[in-house]
Amino acid sequence: MQSSQTPVLDKFLGEVDRIVRDKNGVELQAFLVIEPPFNSLYEAMIAEMRKIYPKGKEGALEQRCSRMLKEAGEDAEGATWTIFVKFMANYLSFIRDVDPSNLLETYNILSELQQKANSALTSPSKGLIILPTVIAYARVFARLAIGLDKNPELIAHLVVQSNSEEDGRRETLPERAANILRTAFVTCLNDRGSGSGGVKDGKPDGKKVGIYKIANLCLKILFQCDKKMNAEQIFTNIYNQSPPLSIYPASERVTYLYYLGRFHFSTGHFFPAQMALQAAYDQCLASPACVGQRRLILIYLVAANMILGRFPTQSLYDRPEAAGLQAIFQPIVHTLIKGDLETFRRLVDWDSPNAPWLMRRYKMLLQIARLCEVIVWRSLFRRAFVLTGVQGDNETRKAPTLDLNYVLALFVFLEKRALHPPERLDKFGPAPDPPPEAYYIDPEFVGADGKPLEGYHANVSLPSMLNIESKCSSLISQGFMNGFISHKLKRFAIKGAKEKGSALAAGWPKFWDVINAEAPPDCPGWKQDVASSSAGGAFGPGMVVNLSNARPVGSGPLG
Amino acid sequence: MAASGPGAASTTKAGASDAKDGDTKDVQKPIAALEEDDEFEDFPVQDWTEEDTQLPGGNTHLWEESWDDDDTNDEFSVQLKEELKRVGKK
């Protein structure tokens, strides 16, 4: 008789059936292990299967599962959970066949198993039982997907294969993995089984327990494999449908806010980025074991804050997780405070010693170079006023003014110096003319001898008066300078000096204050505590949030 | 940091160098795996309280929002003043 040939398997399936009857998801997950080495009981079961249900006999194995797993049959309400039977048969084939030395094959069969588990999760009445299993598998699955992405030689043939497909778009392995996990995430998000809007006694209820656990794994894959932009859908879904983030465990909150902050950072929404990252930093565990997480959060938080005109203090740099950050960021901060355009240009140059760190590792050099430049402009205009400005006269109601010709002279001086290596410059001497390599020649106008064609004038881009007026009006329109330009007199006149008590205070409001005054009320993607969110059903069409339309505060100056 | 420092020297060959402890370790260490996104590790525990987030001296001032600098005698200002003299500012 067949049953006597597989006593261990029979006992195992009997136990699974009992666990399902008990609705004990945690025990089910502990039972359905997938990572070798397996203990002797599992090994005995695997040996039985290799003998009685070897490869190719999956149909018979599924029938066996179907007979043994009575709980998956029709229940009192007439609902069945046949997908669980398919999942169990697939699980048994998985542990029978898995060979951890073959990463790609392991990934492929785990991918199938994950999808079966995801399907079993969709059952409104019983899906919840398998949620801990889905999450546990998702962890392993994400690790494998990332591991394979980091070993392109293992998946090179897949890239070739998908290239040859005519679907117009190539989905990479990590994207596909994230998409598989996303289906489980969506199931959790859409769960209506709990009947409480996903919140019970201030805690997530039903499958909604899994929202952030699975979302964070998707995000981990997408960020590790440099597919951040694919994360937008996850953030939008959460913003529209999730219970508030605050009711989830701290580890899930901090991890999610880290990825959300980084997403906003990479899309140029620095204020929301700062909000999410600051909250992640504040809520992170203070234990020395978490210095790595705190450091990663802090690196992006420092960059976002810098762009918004808020700089780290010594107390921050002195924290263990900030070790070494002062050497990277403070020289840049110093140029922002001084308006030292020359040094700023050098520090954000692609050839600067810290560029690999800022550019390739943390992918923030372009943002800092592009957006912090506005802070340098503001400081240089301000310094020009400190050095050359004409104070106003309250009696005659004459406004304080700044001659833009001086501003132009300083901009040109610093830009010209930045074109030369510093060792070739006299610190206090005049700026030499731009070196030949600074001249731009359109490749279309280069002759065979490598020189520009006759009549073509190579160009070097240095600020002009028009350019200075444009910078000035840009700073005024964004509120970073307060006054108006006299185009005729080439002067910037400061408004409100009398009220503010000084020309400087009136002309140059604090950068952060200006940013803060225009800050968005919340951070898209971060579900806050609102009365309606726990009531359920409060998400009408009006709640649809398009993250790409979020106002990029701080990105305006050059945007 | 000098352009010829260990960090700068290894920038062209990412992933090859290993990190050594030293003064420049934080600049040097990342270069070991320059092209990769740092992994945000799983936390050792699931949940914790607000008290567990408090660092020693936790309420210190961490961000400077008032940083405008009016010093006109620093090296940079002197440099600018020299240039202004050259362009005719009295």
Short mmCIF file of all heavy atoms in Angstrom, two decimals, chain A residues 346-380:
data_model
loop_
_atom_site.label_atom_id
_atom_site.label_comp_id
_atom_site.label_asym_id
_atom_site.label_seq_id
_atom_site.Cartn_x
_atom_site.Cartn_y
_atom_site.Cartn_z
N ARG A 346 35.15 72.99 -7.06
CA ARG A 346 36.18 71.93 -6.96
C ARG A 346 35.65 70.72 -6.18
O ARG A 346 35.91 69.59 -6.53
CB ARG A 346 37.42 72.46 -6.22
CG ARG A 346 38.16 73.54 -6.96
CD ARG A 346 39.50 73.83 -6.27
NE ARG A 346 39.98 75.14 -6.66
CZ ARG A 346 40.45 75.43 -7.87
NH1 ARG A 346 40.51 74.50 -8.80
NH2 ARG A 346 40.86 76.66 -8.15
N LEU A 347 34.92 71.00 -5.10
CA LEU A 347 34.48 69.90 -4.23
C LEU A 347 33.39 69.03 -4.87
O LEU A 347 33.28 67.85 -4.56
CB LEU A 347 33.95 70.45 -2.90
CG LEU A 347 35.00 71.06 -1.98
CD1 LEU A 347 34.34 71.76 -0.80
CD2 LEU A 347 35.95 69.98 -1.47
N VAL A 348 32.59 69.63 -5.75
CA VAL A 348 31.54 68.83 -6.38
C VAL A 348 31.92 68.39 -7.79
O VAL A 348 31.10 67.86 -8.53
CB VAL A 348 30.17 69.56 -6.40
CG1 VAL A 348 29.71 69.85 -4.97
CG2 VAL A 348 30.24 70.85 -7.22
N ASP A 349 33.19 68.62 -8.12
CA ASP A 349 33.67 68.17 -9.43
C ASP A 349 33.77 66.64 -9.44
O ASP A 349 34.05 66.02 -8.43
CB ASP A 349 35.05 68.78 -9.68
CG ASP A 349 35.50 68.55 -11.11
OD1 ASP A 349 35.14 69.37 -11.96
OD2 ASP A 349 36.19 67.54 -11.37
N TRP A 350 33.57 66.07 -10.62
CA TRP A 350 33.63 64.61 -10.72
C TRP A 350 35.01 64.06 -10.43
O TRP A 350 35.18 62.88 -10.16
CB TRP A 350 33.18 64.16 -12.12
CG TRP A 350 31.70 64.31 -12.31
CD1 TRP A 350 30.88 65.20 -11.67
CD2 TRP A 350 30.87 63.56 -13.18
NE1 TRP A 350 29.60 65.05 -12.09
CE2 TRP A 350 29.56 64.06 -13.03
CE3 TRP A 350 31.10 62.54 -14.08
CZ2 TRP A 350 28.48 63.54 -13.74
CZ3 TRP A 350 30.03 62.03 -14.80
CH2 TRP A 350 28.73 62.52 -14.62
N ASP A 351 36.02 64.92 -10.53
CA ASP A 351 37.38 64.45 -10.24
C ASP A 351 37.79 64.73 -8.80
O ASP A 351 38.93 64.49 -8.45
CB ASP A 351 38.37 65.15 -11.18
CG ASP A 351 38.17 64.69 -12.61
OD1 ASP A 351 37.79 63.52 -12.80
OD2 ASP A 351 38.36 65.50 -13.53
N SER A 352 36.91 65.27 -8.00
CA SER A 352 37.29 65.58 -6.62
C SER A 352 37.49 64.26 -5.86
O SER A 352 36.88 63.24 -6.20
CB SER A 352 36.22 66.42 -5.94
OG SER A 352 35.22 65.59 -5.41
N PRO A 353 38.36 64.29 -4.84
CA PRO A 353 38.65 63.03 -4.12
C PRO A 353 37.41 62.36 -3.53
O PRO A 353 37.34 61.15 -3.46
CB PRO A 353 39.60 63.48 -3.01
CG PRO A 353 40.17 64.77 -3.47
CD PRO A 353 39.14 65.42 -4.34
N ASN A 354 36.43 63.16 -3.14
CA ASN A 354 35.24 62.56 -2.53
C ASN A 354 34.13 62.23 -3.53
O ASN A 354 33.09 61.70 -3.15
CB ASN A 354 34.68 63.48 -1.44
CG ASN A 354 35.58 63.50 -0.22
OD1 ASN A 354 36.33 62.57 0.02
ND2 ASN A 354 35.53 64.59 0.52
N ALA A 355 34.36 62.56 -4.78
CA ALA A 355 33.30 62.33 -5.77
C ALA A 355 32.89 60.86 -5.86
O ALA A 355 31.69 60.57 -5.94
CB ALA A 355 33.73 62.86 -7.14
N PRO A 356 33.83 59.92 -5.81
CA PRO A 356 33.38 58.52 -5.89
C PRO A 356 32.44 58.15 -4.75
O PRO A 356 31.46 57.44 -4.94
CB PRO A 356 34.69 57.72 -5.79
CG PRO A 356 35.74 58.66 -6.24
CD PRO A 356 35.30 60.02 -5.80
N TRP A 357 32.74 58.66 -3.59
CA TRP A 357 31.89 58.39 -2.42
C TRP A 357 30.52 59.01 -2.62
O TRP A 357 29.48 58.38 -2.42
CB TRP A 357 32.59 58.99 -1.18
CG TRP A 357 32.05 58.55 0.14
CD1 TRP A 357 32.52 57.54 0.92
CD2 TRP A 357 30.97 59.15 0.88
NE1 TRP A 357 31.78 57.45 2.08
CE2 TRP A 357 30.83 58.42 2.09
CE3 TRP A 357 30.10 60.21 0.64
CZ2 TRP A 357 29.87 58.73 3.05
CZ3 TRP A 357 29.13 60.51 1.60
CH2 TRP A 357 29.03 59.78 2.78
N LEU A 358 30.53 60.28 -3.03
CA LEU A 358 29.26 61.02 -3.17
C LEU A 358 28.48 60.60 -4.40
O LEU A 358 27.25 60.61 -4.41
CB LEU A 358 29.54 62.52 -3.26
CG LEU A 358 30.04 63.20 -1.98
CD1 LEU A 358 30.61 64.57 -2.30
CD2 LEU A 358 28.91 63.32 -0.97
N MET A 359 29.19 60.24 -5.43
CA MET A 359 28.52 60.00 -6.72
C MET A 359 28.15 58.53 -6.89
O MET A 359 26.99 58.19 -7.04
CB MET A 359 29.48 60.42 -7.83
CG MET A 359 28.99 60.13 -9.21
SD MET A 359 27.80 61.37 -9.68
CE MET A 359 27.38 60.76 -11.29
N ARG A 360 29.17 57.68 -6.82
CA ARG A 360 28.91 56.29 -7.19
C ARG A 360 28.31 55.52 -6.03
O ARG A 360 27.44 54.68 -6.21
CB ARG A 360 30.21 55.63 -7.65
CG ARG A 360 30.82 56.33 -8.86
CD ARG A 360 31.16 55.37 -9.96
NE ARG A 360 32.23 54.47 -9.59
CZ ARG A 360 33.52 54.74 -9.76
NH1 ARG A 360 33.87 55.89 -10.31
NH2 ARG A 360 34.44 53.88 -9.42
N ARG A 361 28.78 55.82 -4.83
CA ARG A 361 28.28 55.02 -3.70
C ARG A 361 26.94 55.53 -3.18
O ARG A 361 26.01 54.76 -3.02
CB ARG A 361 29.29 55.01 -2.57
CG ARG A 361 28.93 54.05 -1.47
CD ARG A 361 30.08 53.89 -0.52
NE ARG A 361 29.69 53.21 0.68
CZ ARG A 361 29.96 51.95 0.94
NH1 ARG A 361 30.59 51.22 0.05
NH2 ARG A 361 29.62 51.40 2.07
N TYR A 362 26.87 56.81 -2.97
CA TYR A 362 25.63 57.32 -2.35
C TYR A 362 24.76 58.13 -3.30
O TYR A 362 23.70 58.60 -2.92
CB TYR A 362 25.97 58.09 -1.07
CG TYR A 362 26.51 57.16 -0.02
CD1 TYR A 362 27.85 57.21 0.36
CD2 TYR A 362 25.70 56.19 0.54
CE1 TYR A 362 28.35 56.32 1.30
CE2 TYR A 362 26.20 55.29 1.48
CZ TYR A 362 27.52 55.36 1.86
OH TYR A 362 28.01 54.48 2.78
N LYS A 363 25.21 58.27 -4.51
CA LYS A 363 24.39 58.87 -5.58
C LYS A 363 23.75 60.19 -5.16
O LYS A 363 22.55 60.39 -5.29
CB LYS A 363 23.33 57.86 -6.03
CG LYS A 363 23.96 56.59 -6.58
CD LYS A 363 22.99 55.50 -6.87
CE LYS A 363 23.69 54.25 -7.35
NZ LYS A 363 24.51 53.58 -6.33
N MET A 364 24.58 61.08 -4.61
CA MET A 364 24.05 62.36 -4.17
C MET A 364 24.87 63.54 -4.69
O MET A 364 24.53 64.68 -4.42
CB MET A 364 23.97 62.41 -2.64
CG MET A 364 25.26 62.07 -1.95
SD MET A 364 25.15 62.20 -0.15
CE MET A 364 23.88 61.05 0.27
N LEU A 365 25.91 63.25 -5.44
CA LEU A 365 26.77 64.34 -5.90
C LEU A 365 26.02 65.30 -6.82
O LEU A 365 26.14 66.52 -6.69
CB LEU A 365 28.02 63.79 -6.62
CG LEU A 365 29.00 64.86 -7.09
CD1 LEU A 365 29.67 65.54 -5.90
CD2 LEU A 365 30.05 64.28 -8.01
N LEU A 366 25.25 64.76 -7.75
CA LEU A 366 24.57 65.62 -8.71
C LEU A 366 23.57 66.53 -8.01
O LEU A 366 23.47 67.72 -8.32
CB LEU A 366 23.86 64.79 -9.78
CG LEU A 366 24.78 63.99 -10.69
CD1 LEU A 366 23.97 63.23 -11.72
CD2 LEU A 366 25.77 64.91 -11.39
N GLN A 367 22.85 65.96 -7.05
CA GLN A 367 21.86 66.75 -6.32
C GLN A 367 22.55 67.87 -5.54
O GLN A 367 22.10 69.02 -5.55
CB GLN A 367 21.08 65.87 -5.34
CG GLN A 367 20.06 64.94 -5.98
CD GLN A 367 20.64 63.58 -6.31
OE1 GLN A 367 21.85 63.44 -6.50
NE2 GLN A 367 19.79 62.58 -6.41
N ILE A 368 23.65 67.53 -4.88
CA ILE A 368 24.36 68.53 -4.09
C ILE A 368 24.93 69.60 -5.02
O ILE A 368 24.80 70.80 -4.78
CB ILE A 368 25.46 67.86 -3.24
CG1 ILE A 368 24.82 67.01 -2.14
CG2 ILE A 368 26.39 68.91 -2.62
CD1 ILE A 368 25.80 66.16 -1.35
N ALA A 369 25.54 69.16 -6.12
CA ALA A 369 26.17 70.10 -7.04
C ALA A 369 25.13 71.06 -7.62
O ALA A 369 25.34 72.27 -7.71
CB ALA A 369 26.88 69.35 -8.15
N ARG A 370 23.99 70.51 -8.00
CA ARG A 370 22.99 71.31 -8.70
C ARG A 370 22.24 72.23 -7.74
O ARG A 370 21.99 73.38 -8.05
CB ARG A 370 22.00 70.37 -9.40
CG ARG A 370 21.21 71.02 -10.52
CD ARG A 370 20.46 69.96 -11.29
NE ARG A 370 19.28 69.50 -10.57
CZ ARG A 370 18.08 70.05 -10.70
NH1 ARG A 370 17.89 71.07 -11.50
NH2 ARG A 370 17.06 69.58 -10.02
N LEU A 371 21.86 71.70 -6.59
CA LEU A 371 20.95 72.45 -5.73
C LEU A 371 21.65 73.30 -4.68
O LEU A 371 21.16 74.37 -4.32
CB LEU A 371 19.95 71.50 -5.10
CG LEU A 371 19.07 70.89 -6.20
CD1 LEU A 371 18.47 69.59 -5.77
CD2 LEU A 371 18.01 71.86 -6.64
N CYS A 372 22.78 72.82 -4.19
CA CYS A 372 23.48 73.64 -3.20
C CYS A 372 24.10 74.87 -3.85
O CYS A 372 24.42 75.84 -3.16
CB CYS A 372 24.55 72.83 -2.48
SG CYS A 372 23.86 71.63 -1.34
N GLU A 373 24.26 74.85 -5.16
CA GLU A 373 24.83 76.01 -5.83
C GLU A 373 24.01 77.26 -5.56
O GLU A 373 24.54 78.36 -5.44
CB GLU A 373 24.93 75.74 -7.34
CG GLU A 373 25.68 76.84 -8.06
CD GLU A 373 25.88 76.58 -9.55
OE1 GLU A 373 25.92 75.42 -9.96
OE2 GLU A 373 25.98 77.57 -10.30
N VAL A 374 22.72 77.08 -5.42
CA VAL A 374 21.84 78.22 -5.16
C VAL A 374 22.18 78.86 -3.80
O VAL A 374 22.12 80.08 -3.65
CB VAL A 374 20.37 77.76 -5.17
CG1 VAL A 374 19.44 78.92 -4.90
CG2 VAL A 374 20.05 77.12 -6.49
N ILE A 375 22.54 78.00 -2.85
CA ILE A 375 22.92 78.52 -1.53
C ILE A 375 24.23 79.30 -1.66
O ILE A 375 24.40 80.35 -1.03
CB ILE A 375 23.04 77.37 -0.50
CG1 ILE A 375 21.75 76.55 -0.46
CG2 ILE A 375 23.40 77.92 0.87
CD1 ILE A 375 21.77 75.39 0.52
N VAL A 376 25.13 78.80 -2.49
CA VAL A 376 26.39 79.52 -2.71
C VAL A 376 26.10 80.88 -3.33
O VAL A 376 26.66 81.90 -2.91
CB VAL A 376 27.35 78.72 -3.63
CG1 VAL A 376 28.68 79.44 -3.77
CG2 VAL A 376 27.58 77.32 -3.10
N TRP A 377 25.23 80.92 -4.33
CA TRP A 377 24.87 82.21 -4.96
C TRP A 377 24.37 83.19 -3.90
O TRP A 377 24.80 84.33 -3.85
CB TRP A 377 23.72 82.04 -5.96
CG TRP A 377 24.01 81.25 -7.18
CD1 TRP A 377 25.21 80.74 -7.58
CD2 TRP A 377 23.06 80.88 -8.17
NE1 TRP A 377 25.06 80.06 -8.76
CE2 TRP A 377 23.75 80.14 -9.15
CE3 TRP A 377 21.70 81.09 -8.34
CZ2 TRP A 377 23.11 79.62 -10.28
CZ3 TRP A 377 21.07 80.58 -9.44
CH2 TRP A 377 21.76 79.86 -10.41
N ARG A 378 23.42 82.69 -3.10
CA ARG A 378 22.82 83.57 -2.09
C ARG A 378 23.91 84.11 -1.16
O ARG A 378 23.95 85.31 -0.87
CB ARG A 378 21.78 82.79 -1.28
CG ARG A 378 21.20 83.57 -0.11
CD ARG A 378 20.52 82.63 0.87
NE ARG A 378 20.13 83.31 2.10
CZ ARG A 378 20.94 83.50 3.14
NH1 ARG A 378 22.22 83.09 3.08
NH2 ARG A 378 20.52 84.12 4.22
N SER A 379 24.79 83.23 -0.70
CA SER A 379 25.83 83.67 0.23
C SER A 379 26.80 84.63 -0.44
O SER A 379 27.32 85.55 0.20
CB SER A 379 26.59 82.47 0.79
OG SER A 379 25.74 81.73 1.64
N LEU A 380 27.06 84.42 -1.73
CA LEU A 380 28.00 85.30 -2.41
C LEU A 380 27.37 86.69 -2.64
O LEU A 380 28.03 87.72 -2.47
CB LEU A 380 28.45 84.67 -3.74
CG LEU A 380 29.57 85.39 -4.49
CD1 LEU A 380 30.79 85.66 -3.60
CD2 LEU A 380 30.00 84.60 -5.72
#
